[in-house]
Amino acid sequence: MNHIHLHFKSLDSTNDFLLNLIKEEKVEEGLWVTCSHQTRGRGQRSKEWIGEPDLNFYASLYLEPHFLKIDDQYQLNIAICLAVRSFIQEHVSAKVMIKWPNDILIDRKKLCGILIENAIQSGKFESSVVGIGINVNQRSFSERGITSIALESENDIPIDSVLSGLRNYVESYYQKLKIGEDLKAEYLRHLFGYRESIRIRFKEEDMQGQITDIDLSGCMLFRAEGVEKRFCSGEISFLL
Ligand code: BTN
């Protein structure tokens, strides 16, 4: 994959920048866009992604996963989560876990969010903008339940070293996906709540149970009180 990288001091959102760029010009697969400060970072379900300038990693990667069928879109999610998880695990000793569908946690605290925006055209998987936000050197957060690599390792790491390390993992997992390797067993091994008791909230109801599987469309199978239920992204929240 080409190593093309655009860095900006400040952008509203690296995902929005890249989504606009691909509308205007031909973009090479493998382009990374990063910035030191994001003024209107977006998270899942129209939430904001806020972080201090210069202390964190904000990036978007352009991919053309034409080899994936639309029904297999979740496979890309799996590969990216595993890549980001492995990169973070290299820097901390505590166990780094994936929270379904695509957050990265340490000790039930979130330290990375992933926002993948896919373009489908004429029934085909056209392109994908993979947004990754990692809390790196920020040490204080206004919300509870958030952490960073520096808080977990007691060491700062240079922000400009993150891309080269992360890119190696992303390229390696993307390659595995391309050659058809099944990454699900590895994903489940690192999945928070897989075959272990957790609490989730569905509508107004709290449930105690275990994740038993993630199906082909990326929905979660959850067993509570002997009954298996299926939840898709956005339907439940975790009680951490
Ligand atoms: C989430 O956890 O809700 C996903 C957060 C994704 C944040 C990253 S930061 C870089 C990229 N640009 C954005 O606007 N969002 C993603």
Side-chain angles (χ1 to χ4, degrees):
M1 210 183 278
N2 283 315
H3 279 191
I4 340 161
H5 174 207
L6 297 175
H7 179 76
F8 297 87
K9 253 185 132 40
S10 175
L11 282 179
D12 50 358
S13 147
T14 55
N15 267 37
D16 288 341
F17 176 87
L18 194 45
L19 287 165
N20 285 328
L21 191 69
I22 59 180
K23 273 191 226 147
E24 283 160 16
E25 55 187 80
K26 167 94 189 83
V27 169
E28 294 276 328
E29 181 172 42
L31 170 71
W32 284 84
V33 174
T34 59
C35 68
S36 308
H37 179 35
Q38 214 177 217
T39 53
R40 273 198 303 131
R42 290 189 291 111
Q44 302 279 345
R45 291 180 289 288
S46 316
K47 284 198 198 140
E48 284 179 305
W49 181 260
I50 303 172
E52 283 181 25
D54 304 315
L55 296 179
N56 301 310
F57 180 75
Y58 310 101
S60 300
L61 164 66
Y62 178 69
L63 292 175
E64 289 179 344
H66 297 158
F67 56 91
L68 281 181
K69 292 200 237 64
I70 299 183
D71 290 348
D72 294 336
Q73 281 179 61
Y74 196 71
Q75 297 300 316
L76 180 62
N77 197 81
I78 289 182
I80 299 295
C81 283
L82 285 172
V84 178
R85 195 212 74 80
S86 302
F87 168 75
I88 295 172
Q89 189 69 80
E90 206 180 81
H91 295 276
V92 302
S93 48
K95 186 157 170 32
V96 182
M97 311 221 55
I98 297 165
K99 187 181 113 207
W100 176 83
N102 46 14
D103 288 342
I104 306 290
L105 296 184
I106 292 182
D107 200 14
R108 298 178 178 240
K109 286 176 277 184
K110 175 164 173 171
L111 87 167
C112 168
I114 296 167
L115 177 66
I116 302 183
E117 300 186 282
N118 294 329
I120 310 290
Q121 234 172 40
S122 321
K124 285 208 173 117
F125 201 158
E126 195 56 31
S127 65
S128 184
V129 168
V130 177
I132 303 170
I134 307 177
N135 299 333
V136 181
N137 294 328
Q138 186 170 335
R139 286 167 186 262
S140 67
F141 296 92
S142 50
E143 273 177 71
R144 286 179 56 217
I146 303 190
T147 191
S148 65
I149 294 180
L151 280 175
E152 297 300 326
S153 67
E154 289 169 19
N155 280 317
D156 279 18
I157 56 172
I159 299 291
D160 54 13
S161 71
V162 173
L163 179 62
S164 57
L166 178 64
R167 182 164 50 196
N168 286 338
Y169 283 109
V170 170
E171 286 184 0
S172 145
Y173 278 98
Y174 190 61
Q175 187 57 25
K176 289 181 192 200
L177 201 60
K178 228 178 200 169
I179 62 172
E181 213 173 287
D182 189 354
L183 299 174
K184 189 148 117 213
E186 189 181 345
Y187 179 82
L188 291 178
R189 225 177 25 249
H190 297 292
L191 189 67
F192 172 73
Y194 177 64
R195 294 191 178 159
E196 63 184 15
S197 186
I198 54 165
R199 287 182 75 73
I200 63 166
R201 180 165 294 163
F202 173 63
K203 297 189 173 151
E204 307 285 274
E205 191 191 343
D206 291 359
M207 295 177 219
Q208 179 99 30
Q210 305 186 346
I211 298 176
T212 54
D213 203 1
I214 303 295
D215 70 13
L216 285 175
S217 42
C219 296
M220 173 180 103
L221 305 184
F222 188 82
R223 190 194 304 278
E225 291 170 8
V227 180
E228 192 157 77
K229 300 187 166 120
R230 179 173 181 266
F231 299 109
C232 294
S233 180
E235 288 183 342
I236 60 116
S237 54
F238 289 81
L239 301 169
L240 295 171

